[in-house]
Short mmCIF file of all heavy atoms in Angstrom, two decimals:
data_model
loop_
_atom_site.label_atom_id
_atom_site.label_comp_id
_atom_site.label_asym_id
_atom_site.label_seq_id
_atom_site.Cartn_x
_atom_site.Cartn_y
_atom_site.Cartn_z
N ARG C 670 -26.36 -188.03 27.81
CA ARG C 670 -25.71 -187.92 29.07
C ARG C 670 -24.36 -188.45 29.23
O ARG C 670 -23.51 -187.83 29.78
CB ARG C 670 -26.66 -188.60 30.24
CG ARG C 670 -27.80 -187.74 30.48
CD ARG C 670 -28.35 -187.97 31.80
NE ARG C 670 -29.72 -187.81 31.90
CZ ARG C 670 -30.39 -186.48 31.89
NH1 ARG C 670 -29.49 -185.39 31.91
NH2 ARG C 670 -31.45 -186.25 31.91
N PRO C 671 -23.95 -189.62 28.57
CA PRO C 671 -22.54 -190.09 28.61
C PRO C 671 -21.63 -189.14 28.01
O PRO C 671 -20.53 -188.68 28.47
CB PRO C 671 -22.62 -191.39 27.80
CG PRO C 671 -23.93 -191.90 28.03
CD PRO C 671 -24.82 -190.65 27.93
N ILE C 672 -22.12 -188.48 26.79
CA ILE C 672 -21.24 -187.39 26.22
C ILE C 672 -21.08 -186.28 27.12
O ILE C 672 -19.98 -185.68 27.34
CB ILE C 672 -21.82 -186.92 24.80
CG1 ILE C 672 -21.77 -188.11 23.86
CG2 ILE C 672 -21.01 -185.77 24.39
CD1 ILE C 672 -22.25 -187.64 22.42
N GLU C 673 -22.13 -185.93 27.79
CA GLU C 673 -22.09 -184.74 28.82
C GLU C 673 -21.08 -185.09 29.77
O GLU C 673 -20.25 -184.11 30.30
CB GLU C 673 -23.41 -184.39 29.38
CG GLU C 673 -23.54 -183.22 30.19
CD GLU C 673 -24.85 -183.28 30.96
OE1 GLU C 673 -25.76 -184.07 30.64
OE2 GLU C 673 -24.97 -182.59 32.06
N ARG C 674 -21.11 -186.28 30.43
CA ARG C 674 -20.27 -186.70 31.42
C ARG C 674 -18.90 -186.72 31.02
O ARG C 674 -17.97 -186.29 31.77
CB ARG C 674 -20.71 -188.10 32.00
CG ARG C 674 -21.80 -188.02 33.13
CD ARG C 674 -21.88 -189.42 33.85
NE ARG C 674 -22.26 -190.51 32.93
CZ ARG C 674 -23.46 -190.82 32.81
NH1 ARG C 674 -24.54 -190.22 33.60
NH2 ARG C 674 -23.88 -191.81 32.07
N LEU C 675 -18.65 -187.13 29.88
CA LEU C 675 -17.34 -187.22 29.27
C LEU C 675 -16.80 -185.92 29.13
O LEU C 675 -15.59 -185.59 29.58
CB LEU C 675 -17.47 -187.89 27.85
CG LEU C 675 -16.13 -188.51 27.29
CD1 LEU C 675 -15.83 -189.67 28.07
CD2 LEU C 675 -16.42 -188.79 25.87
N LEU C 676 -17.51 -185.03 28.62
CA LEU C 676 -17.05 -183.52 28.43
C LEU C 676 -16.79 -182.92 29.89
O LEU C 676 -15.75 -182.29 30.02
CB LEU C 676 -18.05 -182.63 27.70
CG LEU C 676 -18.13 -183.01 26.19
CD1 LEU C 676 -19.26 -182.15 25.60
CD2 LEU C 676 -16.88 -182.61 25.59
N HIS C 677 -17.62 -183.10 30.71
CA HIS C 677 -17.44 -182.60 32.06
C HIS C 677 -16.17 -183.08 32.76
O HIS C 677 -15.46 -182.49 33.37
CB HIS C 677 -18.63 -182.92 32.98
CG HIS C 677 -19.74 -181.82 32.83
ND1 HIS C 677 -20.61 -181.61 33.70
CD2 HIS C 677 -19.94 -180.80 31.89
CE1 HIS C 677 -21.49 -180.49 33.48
NE2 HIS C 677 -21.07 -180.02 32.25
N GLY C 678 -16.06 -184.43 32.55
CA GLY C 678 -14.92 -185.11 33.08
C GLY C 678 -13.62 -184.57 32.44
O GLY C 678 -12.58 -184.26 33.24
N ALA C 679 -13.64 -184.43 31.17
CA ALA C 679 -12.36 -184.02 30.52
C ALA C 679 -12.12 -182.48 30.92
O ALA C 679 -11.03 -182.13 31.18
CB ALA C 679 -12.65 -183.96 29.03
N ALA C 680 -13.21 -181.75 30.93
CA ALA C 680 -13.02 -180.30 31.30
C ALA C 680 -12.51 -180.13 32.78
O ALA C 680 -11.62 -179.30 33.13
CB ALA C 680 -14.35 -179.67 31.20
N ARG C 681 -13.11 -181.07 33.63
CA ARG C 681 -12.51 -180.99 35.05
C ARG C 681 -10.97 -181.32 35.11
O ARG C 681 -10.31 -180.69 35.84
CB ARG C 681 -13.32 -182.06 35.95
CG ARG C 681 -13.90 -181.37 37.10
CD ARG C 681 -14.38 -182.57 38.12
NE ARG C 681 -14.58 -183.74 37.60
CZ ARG C 681 -15.87 -184.11 37.20
NH1 ARG C 681 -16.91 -183.29 37.34
NH2 ARG C 681 -16.07 -185.19 36.70
N ARG C 682 -10.69 -182.40 34.31
CA ARG C 682 -9.25 -182.72 34.35
C ARG C 682 -8.34 -181.67 33.75
O ARG C 682 -7.34 -181.33 34.39
CB ARG C 682 -9.00 -183.98 33.52
CG ARG C 682 -8.71 -185.06 34.54
CD ARG C 682 -8.86 -186.44 34.11
NE ARG C 682 -10.02 -187.01 34.63
CZ ARG C 682 -10.63 -188.03 34.36
NH1 ARG C 682 -10.16 -188.71 33.36
NH2 ARG C 682 -11.61 -188.54 35.00
N VAL C 683 -8.83 -181.06 32.60
CA VAL C 683 -8.00 -179.85 32.25
C VAL C 683 -8.10 -178.76 33.15
O VAL C 683 -7.05 -178.12 33.27
CB VAL C 683 -8.45 -179.46 30.83
CG1 VAL C 683 -7.92 -178.24 30.40
CG2 VAL C 683 -8.40 -180.51 29.77
N GLY C 684 -9.17 -178.52 33.83
CA GLY C 684 -9.19 -177.47 34.71
C GLY C 684 -8.26 -177.61 35.94
O GLY C 684 -7.95 -176.70 36.67
#
Side-chain angles (χ1 to χ4, degrees):
Chain C
R670 279 202 211 289
I672 293 183
E673 182 196 345
R674 272 197 295 266
L675 201 70
L676 283 175
H677 272 198
R681 229 192 341 263
R682 250 163 251 163
V683 170

